[in-house]
């Protein structure tokens, strides 16, 4: 499987697992799937006729790149909906839904006919409403991480219905006789009719990942609980068990059964011809969705921000320049993923580095030669680099990992315990604690715990950890000593060490408590003088008394040693609030910066709180004012820092939790800014919210913060400290929060892997923390 999503499409035909149509057992001819970085096409006689793809079998032509849909900015494409003659709709992590129409002058080109904006977080499932009286040109239903289901009129491109009710992310959309049925991570299905809720029910005990309407009239749902359920109304008619991990996607196959996609890695996308794979369609990223067009072509959604059409029709093949460009993208992607000896090939120095003399005899250096890594050794006597040879990958670098009971491990050892007993299989991952692994294995194999220390030493020696030190806290459960002594017994209980993390979980809040007060006052005075010189705006300027009050306020803020006893009057804060409400938008940033410091003062925070709890919430007014287009970086920076500093005082916790959606949505574009300080401030806001919502045990809030943190961590141009804080937020939510399963479903393993390869030490370390979390239960 690929190194991104480890899930695949799996056709379940009636009788094979007694699933759906009740037909006799058949051969699962359409196996595997669209979410590794390969979409593999297979062929099998007989099945193709039912799929309407007989032309493929007759022509036996390899599929090639046809049209491509450039969804922009490198955002991953998450969902696809084929909209009849209207075109193709795609959803993305850029929060948009895009409708693409074929260029009538060039059938290899698609252009974005409409961009539908309305979601406040990334968009996932899509469903097409065929033209009807209400939607003459058809409609689109979309579901997002923001917990909303939106209905769009394709004639106008407008959002005509917003369906609210789910508590967590929307994962599936199905149309059922005019009704909309939505599934969510909150474990419920909801039915909507004419924009209004009709009914809802808990369909699974774990997150629902998909819902689909079957030709039989039933609904089918797939869940993190590994099952598929069939529904007539709110009644479950059948539960289908067979997958061993999250069921991520479902599709109805006419006259065949249900096509299910799971994280258990049960295959790769395809149609088979006598069990032989005749083509593999590679992508420069993870493939998140795949749909058939009426003519048999395939549309795929890729994490590189492009949806592509794959065709066997020669007149629709992309032109040579586009094909060459795609081949180059694919080559670069492969190069970026290739490792040699555990090192990323693209990070290795070139041959020019061999012009630099070594520092000691026998010093080794690995350099990039073409698509290979080659090791050289410094020959001190001859003063030259001697070529040792090509570096080969270790057991976790490109080689197939051993599998036991359907699960991949770094190692699977054969253990011979003698006495004519059969060979036992001992699985182990390098991230595991050896003592814990030994305990679990001994219990599973019903073997005496007296073997524990021997098993631990066996694991450590055979995984290359030769210079290991035994756990000093370990006491053998039979002897009470730190090493195994056979033949003696004890009733002491065994202890297993817990995994340790370098940077998670995050405890406590971060604030921006440094301020250049003289510079702030100077800027306010400068702006005030500008207003005084303008007859039309002179009335907005500070009076002499207000200037005096502002100076006194800053004097109190400077004297941090007396924060426990110094006080503010309501008049002091009122001066700042008047300026925020009345001054031109381009002049408010030094005023916001002053307020940022006021909320760090215990009494100042309490005085401001009275205005926050008033009917006209001043904080929300500020946020709306500074984020209105066009927004100024200085205003965004100071206001994000102001909100971040609110976390210093528990009296603001309820406000922060209550207005989480407004706050994050207002500042959500900050992480993609070119302003590094703005990036860092936004990441800090996310991290503070993480700590608060974990403490509050707010699962819905944690899901929202996780979405923001994932989007931020994946930004390619993010400054290292900002990325680090976003990753710490993700790790903390997975470790102490309630959304680990959601993080796993949204490719956090790949995010962790990318972070581990960072040249920044802290980012690499927290990436390792998250990777370890993905491997622990």
């Amino acid at each position: 499987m690929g190194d991104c999503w480890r899930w695949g499409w799996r056709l379940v035909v009636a009788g094979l697992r007694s699933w759906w149509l009740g037909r006799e057992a058949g051969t699962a001819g359409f196996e595997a799937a669209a979410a590794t970085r390969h979409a593999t096409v297979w062929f099998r006689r007989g099945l193709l006729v039912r799929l309407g793809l007989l032309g493929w079998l007759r022509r036996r032509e390899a599929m090639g790149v046809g049209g491509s849909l450039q969804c922009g900015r490198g955002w991953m494409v998450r969902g696809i909906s084929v909209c009849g003659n209207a075109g193709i709709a795609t959803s993305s992590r850029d929060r948009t839904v895009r409708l693409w129409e074929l260029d009538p002058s060039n059938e290899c080109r698609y252009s974005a006919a409409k961009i539908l904006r309305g979601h406040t977080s990334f968009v996932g499932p899509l469903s097409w409403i065929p033209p009807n009286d209400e939607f003459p040109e058809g409609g689109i239903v979309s579901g997002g991480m923001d917990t909303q289901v939106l209905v769009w009129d394709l004639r106008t491109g407008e959002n005509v219905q917003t369906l609210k009710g789910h508590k967590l992310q929307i994962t599936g959309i199905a149309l059922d006789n005019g009704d909309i049925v939505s599934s969510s991570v909150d474990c419920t299905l909801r039915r909507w009719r004419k924009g209004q809720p009709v009914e809802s029910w808990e369909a699974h005990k774990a997150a629902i990942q998909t819902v689909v309407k079957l030709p039989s009239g039933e609904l089918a749902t797939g869940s993190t609980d590994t099952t598929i359920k069939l529904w007539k109304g709110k009644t479950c008619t059948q539960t289908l068990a067979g997958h061993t991990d999250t069921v991520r996607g479902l599709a109805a196959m006419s006259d065949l059964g249900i096509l299910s996609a799971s994280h258990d890695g049960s295959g790769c996308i395809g149609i088979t011809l006598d069990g032989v794979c005749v083509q593999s369609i590679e992508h420069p990223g993870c493939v998140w969705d795949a749909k058939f067009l009426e003519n048999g072509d395939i549309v795929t959604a890729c994490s590189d921000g492009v949806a592509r059409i794959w065709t066997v029709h020669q007149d629709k093949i992309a032109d040579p320049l586009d094909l060459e460009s795609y081949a180059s993208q694919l080559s670069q992607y492969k190069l970026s993923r290739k490792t040699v000896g555990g090192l990323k090939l693209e990070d290795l120095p070139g041959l020019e580095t061999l012009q630099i003399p070594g520092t000691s005899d026998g010093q080794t250096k690995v350099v990039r030669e073409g698509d290979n890594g080659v090791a050289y050794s410094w020959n001190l006597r001859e003063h030259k680099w001697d070529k040792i040879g090509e570096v080969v990958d270790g057991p976790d670098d490109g080689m197939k990992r051993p599998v036991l009971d359907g699960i991949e491990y770094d190692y699977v050892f054969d253990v011979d315990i003698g006495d004519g007993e059969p060979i036992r299989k001992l699985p182990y991952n390098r991230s595991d604690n050896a003592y814990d692994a030994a305990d679990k294995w001994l219990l599973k194999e019903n073997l005496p715990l007296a073997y524990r220390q021997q098993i631990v030493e066996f694991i450590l020696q055979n995984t290359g950890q030769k210079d290991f030190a035994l756990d000093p806290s370990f006491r053998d459960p039979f002897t009470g000593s730190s090493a195994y002594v056979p033949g003696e017994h004890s009733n002491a209980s065994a202890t297993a060490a817990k995994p340790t993390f370098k940077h998670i979980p995050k405890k406590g809040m971060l604030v921006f408590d440094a301020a250049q007060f003289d510079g702030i006052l100077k800027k306010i005075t400068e702006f005030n003088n500008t207003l005084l010189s303008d007859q039309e705006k002179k009335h907005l300027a500070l009076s002499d008394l207000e200037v005096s009050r502002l100076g006194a306020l800053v004097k109190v803020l400077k004297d941090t040693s007396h924060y426990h006893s110094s006080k503010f009057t309501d008049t002091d804060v009122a001066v700042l609030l008047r300026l925020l409400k009345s001054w031109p938008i381009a002049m408010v940033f030094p005023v916001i910066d002053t307020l940022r410091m006021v909320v760090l003062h215990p009494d100042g925070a309490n005085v401001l709180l009275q205005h926050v709890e008033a009917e006209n919430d001043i904080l929300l007014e500020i946020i709306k004012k500074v984020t209105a287009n066009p927004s100024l970086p200085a205003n965004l920076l100071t206001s994000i820092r102001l909100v971040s500093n609110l976390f210093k005082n528990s009296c603001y916790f309820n406000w922060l939790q209550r207005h989480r959606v407004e706050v994050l949505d207002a500042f959500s574009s900050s992480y993609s800014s070119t302003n590094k300080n703005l990036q860092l401030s936004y990441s800090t806001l996310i991290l503070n919210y993480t700590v608060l919502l974990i403490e509050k045990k707010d699962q819905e809030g944690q899901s929202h913060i996780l979405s923001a943190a994932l989007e931020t961590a994946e930004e390619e141009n993010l400054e290292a400290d900002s990325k680090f804080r976003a990753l710490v937020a993700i790790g903390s939510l997975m470790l102490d929060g309630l959304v680990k399963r959601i993080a796993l479903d949204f490719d956090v393993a790949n995010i962790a892997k990318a972070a581990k390869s960072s040249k920044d030490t802290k980012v690499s370390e927290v990436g390792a923390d998250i990777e370890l979390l993905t491997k622990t239960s």
Side-chain angles (χ1 to χ4, degrees):
M1 298 300 290
D3 50 12
C4 295
W5 283 92
R6 291 175 51 230
W7 56 275
W9 291 102
R10 182 186 197 183
L11 178 65
V12 183
V13 182
L16 186 63
R17 294 189 189 276
S18 302
W19 288 12
W20 195 25
L21 296 173
R23 301 182 187 276
E24 296 178 359
T27 303
F30 193 157
E31 278 200 74
T36 65
R37 56 190 172 92
H38 291 76
T40 306
V41 179
W42 309 67
F43 293 82
R44 177 178 294 279
R45 292 190 180 94
L47 180 59
L48 298 177
V49 180
R50 298 182 180 181
L51 292 177
L53 301 177
L54 186 58
W56 280 6
L57 181 61
R58 289 173 178 166
R59 298 178 66 178
R60 294 294 301 280
E61 293 174 315
M63 297 198 76
V65 181
S68 64
L69 290 58
Q70 301 289 337
C71 299
R73 294 194 58 200
W75 293 94
M76 63 173 62
V77 188
R78 297 300 298 269
I80 295 172
S81 180
V82 178
C83 305
N85 295 326
I88 298 169
T90 60
S91 64
S92 170
R93 292 194 76 151
D94 70 358
R95 310 178 184 200
T96 69
V97 177
R98 298 176 186 240
L99 180 67
W100 304 84
E101 292 181 349
L102 193 62
D103 185 342
S105 64
N106 185 342
E107 292 193 356
C108 291
R109 299 286 181 188
Y110 280 78
S111 58
K114 290 183 175 67
I115 300 178
L116 313 180
R117 305 180 190 275
H119 282 285
T120 59
S121 188
F122 62 77
V123 192
L126 300 174
S127 190
W128 179 52
I129 303 174
N132 56 35
D133 292 340
E134 185 178 2
F135 301 103
E137 296 182 17
I140 290 286
V141 186
S142 60
M145 187 75 175
D146 56 11
T147 76
Q148 298 182 120
V149 177
L150 302 186
V151 182
W152 308 86
D153 186 340
L154 289 183
R155 180 175 59 87
T156 63
E158 297 295 322
N159 169 24
V160 295
Q161 294 175 7
T162 299
L163 312 180
K164 297 182 178 181
H166 282 292
K167 300 298 183 184
L168 296 171
Q169 167 207 343
I170 310 300
T171 55
I173 301 288
L175 298 183
D176 185 19
N177 299 323
D179 292 347
I180 296 171
V181 178
S182 55
S183 64
S184 169
V185 174
D186 66 12
C187 307
T188 68
L189 287 177
R190 289 179 179 265
R191 181 180 294 272
W192 315 83
R193 186 172 298 150
K194 298 184 183 300
Q196 299 299 317
V198 176
E199 60 185 0
S200 67
W201 66 99
E202 184 182 81
H204 291 261
K205 294 297 182 182
I208 306 174
Q209 298 293 345
T210 181
V211 60
V212 66
K213 173 73 177 295
L214 304 179
S216 64
E218 295 171 292
L219 294 171
T221 55
S223 169
T224 298
D225 66 11
T226 77
T227 69
I228 299 169
K229 291 180 181 287
L230 305 186
W231 302 88
K232 283 186 177 179
K234 295 170 63 174
T235 303
C236 178
T237 60
Q238 196 172 0
T239 299
L240 312 176
H243 283 294
T244 59
D245 206 333
T246 296
V247 179
R248 189 66 179 80
L250 295 172
M253 303 296 290
S254 179
D255 296 326
L256 286 173
I258 303 172
L259 193 67
S260 61
S262 171
H263 289 189
D264 60 13
S266 3
C268 48
I269 194 174
I271 306 168
T272 61
L273 175 59
D274 299 328
V276 177
C277 174
V278 296
Q279 187 183 2
S280 177
I281 304 177
E282 296 180 298
H283 286 70
C286 300
V287 182
W288 280 86
D289 199 1
K291 292 289 192 300
F292 283 102
L293 297 177
E294 290 184 358
N295 65 354
D297 289 349
I298 294 176
V299 193
T300 58
C302 186
S303 64
D304 69 345
V306 181
R308 295 177 174 87
I309 313 292
W310 302 88
T311 184
V312 295
H313 305 289
Q314 292 301 311
D315 58 334
K316 293 184 179 180
I317 297 291
D319 62 51
L321 286 178
D322 287 338
L323 293 176
E324 184 179 344
S325 174
Y326 181 69
S328 176
Q329 294 174 41
L330 204 56
S331 176
Q332 290 176 10
Y333 179 77
K334 289 179 178 179
L335 185 66
S336 71
R337 313 298 285 187
K338 184 174 181 179
T339 61
V340 288
L343 303 172
K344 290 188 70 174
L345 182 63
E346 66 176 358
D347 290 341
L348 294 179
L351 287 170
E352 66 277 1
T353 193
L354 297 180
Q355 298 175 9
I356 302 173
T359 56
S360 61
D361 192 43
Q363 176 190 353
T364 58
K365 182 177 291 188
V366 180
V367 301
R368 185 178 67 251
E369 291 187 19
D371 289 341
N372 298 309
V374 179
Y376 284 81
S377 176
W378 179 245
N379 186 326
L380 184 60
R381 175 177 295 180
E382 299 183 19
H383 206 69
K384 69 172 187 175
W385 290 98
D386 291 332
K387 186 173 183 177
I388 300 174
E390 184 178 330
V391 179
V392 296
D393 288 334
D396 194 35
D397 300 311
M399 295 177 64
K400 188 174 181 180
R401 301 172 73 204
V403 177
L404 180 63
D405 298 328
I407 302 173
E408 287 186 349
Y409 294 94
D410 292 332
Y411 303 93
V412 175
F413 299 113
D414 289 329
V415 181
D416 185 357
I417 62 174
D419 299 326
E421 291 286 327
I423 298 293
R424 313 289 178 99
K425 298 291 185 181
L426 168 60
Y428 179 74
N429 287 318
R430 281 191 289 269
S431 60
D432 292 343
N433 177 277
Y435 288 88
D436 190 31
D439 286 344
K440 289 180 180 178
W441 183 76
L442 290 170
L443 290 171
K444 177 179 179 292
E445 296 293 336
N446 196 28
L447 293 171
L449 288 177
Y451 290 136
R452 184 183 197 241
Q453 193 66 20
Q454 288 177 304
I455 295 298
V456 169
E457 293 181 19
F458 173 85
I459 290 173
L460 296 175
Q461 289 172 345
N462 286 278
T463 55
Q465 305 174 60
K466 299 185 182 303
D467 298 324
F468 61 87
L470 297 179
D471 184 354
S473 65
F474 169 70
R475 290 294 178 268
D476 189 275
F478 290 85
T479 68
S481 63
S482 59
Y484 163 66
V485 179
E488 300 181 14
H489 298 276
S490 169
N491 293 323
S493 61
T495 59
K498 294 182 179 180
T500 57
F501 303 96
K502 186 87 173 179
H503 296 287
I504 58 175
K506 175 71 178 72
K507 302 295 183 183
M509 309 297 186
L510 298 175
V511 296
F512 296 94
D513 55 4
Q516 296 179 345
F517 287 109
D518 293 340
I520 292 173
L521 279 178
K522 181 179 179 181
K523 182 58 70 172
I524 292 176
T525 302
E526 176 188 320
F527 287 156
N528 195 57
N529 290 336
T530 300
L531 293 173
L532 285 170
S533 63
D534 187 332
Q535 290 299 319
E536 294 182 359
K537 298 179 180 178
K538 188 175 181 179
H539 67 286
L540 300 177
L542 289 163
S543 66
D544 290 343
L545 178 60
E546 287 175 325
V547 172
S548 175
R549 294 307 312 162
L550 189 58
L553 180 146
V554 169
K555 185 177 180 180
V556 172
L557 291 176
K558 284 183 175 181
D559 188 9
T560 57
S561 62
H562 289 87
Y563 267 29
H564 64 287
S565 59
S566 55
K567 300 290 183 182
F568 288 98
T569 66
D570 189 62
T571 306
D572 293 330
V573 175
V575 172
L576 294 175
L577 300 186
R578 183 182 78 78
L579 301 184
L580 289 173
K581 292 179 180 179
S582 63
W583 271 20
I585 189 66
M587 295 182 174
V588 297
F589 66 87
V591 184
I592 299 173
D593 216 20
T594 307
L595 199 62
R596 165 180 69 91
M597 301 305 295
V598 168
V599 299
L600 294 179
H601 188 289
D603 189 61
N606 287 326
V607 173
L608 177 65
L609 187 63
Q610 300 171 22
H611 297 273
V612 172
E613 293 179 340
E615 183 177 347
N616 296 321
D617 186 329
I618 185 61
L619 285 177
L620 286 182
E621 282 188 26
I622 295 171
I623 291 170
K624 291 176 183 177
K625 185 174 183 178
V626 302
T627 56
N629 288 328
S631 58
L632 301 176
N635 286 341
L636 290 175
L637 181 64
T638 51
S639 54
I640 292 179
R641 290 179 171 182
L642 164 61
V643 177
S644 296
N645 283 2
L646 294 177
F647 288 87
K648 175 73 177 295
N649 295 283
S650 60
C651 63
Y652 285 95
F653 284 0
N654 288 336
W655 185 92
L656 288 162
Q657 187 176 12
R658 187 167 64 250
H659 295 292
R660 160 185 51 84
V661 174
E662 297 101 311
V663 170
L664 286 174
D665 288 351
F667 298 123
S668 59
S669 63
S670 301
Y671 71 90
S672 58
S673 168
T674 55
N675 186 313
K676 304 301 183 183
N677 291 325
L678 195 54
Q679 291 180 356
L680 183 63
S681 299
Y682 181 68
S683 292
T684 304
L685 179 65
I686 288 175
L687 191 51
N688 282 349
Y689 258 121
T690 295
V691 175
L692 173 63
L693 296 173
I694 289 175
E695 179 183 320
K696 295 287 187 178
K697 295 182 172 57
D698 181 348
Q699 184 175 9
E700 181 180 352
Q702 290 176 30
S703 177
H704 189 189
I705 294 299
L706 176 66
S707 171
L710 289 170
E711 288 179 325
T712 303
E714 289 185 316
E715 174 63 33
E716 291 184 1
N717 298 318
L718 198 66
E719 180 265 340
D721 284 342
S722 302
K723 186 179 288 287
F724 171 73
R725 292 186 182 184
L727 290 166
V728 171
I730 294 169
S732 299
L733 286 165
M734 292 176 66
L735 182 62
D736 280 356
L738 305 170
V739 291
K740 180 178 179 180
R741 182 71 259 178
I742 299 175
L744 293 174
D745 286 340
F746 283 93
D747 206 16
V748 75
N750 209 42
I751 291 174
K753 185 174 182 179
K756 272 188 66 180
S757 66
S758 171
K759 295 179 181 178
D760 184 89
T761 303
K762 290 192 303 181
V763 171
S764 178
E765 289 173 346
V766 74
D769 282 348
I770 296 174
E771 184 178 73
L772 179 55
L773 270 175
T774 66
K775 297 179 179 180
T776 57
S777 57

